[in-house]
Amino acid sequence: MASTPTPPTEPQDSPDAYVGLEAGQAERLARERGWSTVRSLPPGTIITLEYRVGRMNFEVRNGLVTRAWKG
């Protein structure tokens, strides 16, 4: 029987730390902190709900991050 793979670890980082930042600055900071995927979305964007380890999501309004979440 094959062993169960160990999922990669995520950065120990709070999404709340990005709220209020300019979108470009938030994206650079997230990558510096180890997030492998960073995506910025306009408010109300329809997205799938699958959880992706290592992904940070930003909701951006008028160039500022208004919400951030993992996955």
Side-chain angles (χ1 to χ4, degrees):
M1 181 174 221
S3 62
T4 303
T6 303
T9 59
E10 290 183 326
Q12 296 300 306
D13 193 18
S14 171
D16 294 336
Y18 298 96
V19 175
L21 296 179
E22 185 271 324
Q25 176 189 11
E27 288 178 22
R28 284 188 299 279
L29 185 58
R31 291 183 196 288
E32 288 172 7
R33 291 181 175 174
W35 294 99
S36 58
T37 304
V38 179
R39 69 178 175 178
S40 295
L41 307 161
T45 299
I46 297 172
I47 58 173
T48 60
L49 297 178
E50 83 279 2
Y51 188 90
R52 296 278 179 125
V53 174
R55 180 169 65 190
M56 178 64 73
N57 301 284
F58 298 134
E59 183 174 279
V60 178
R61 181 185 306 258
N62 299 323
L64 298 177
V65 176
T66 57
R67 180 176 166 236
W69 67 99
K70 297 177 182 182

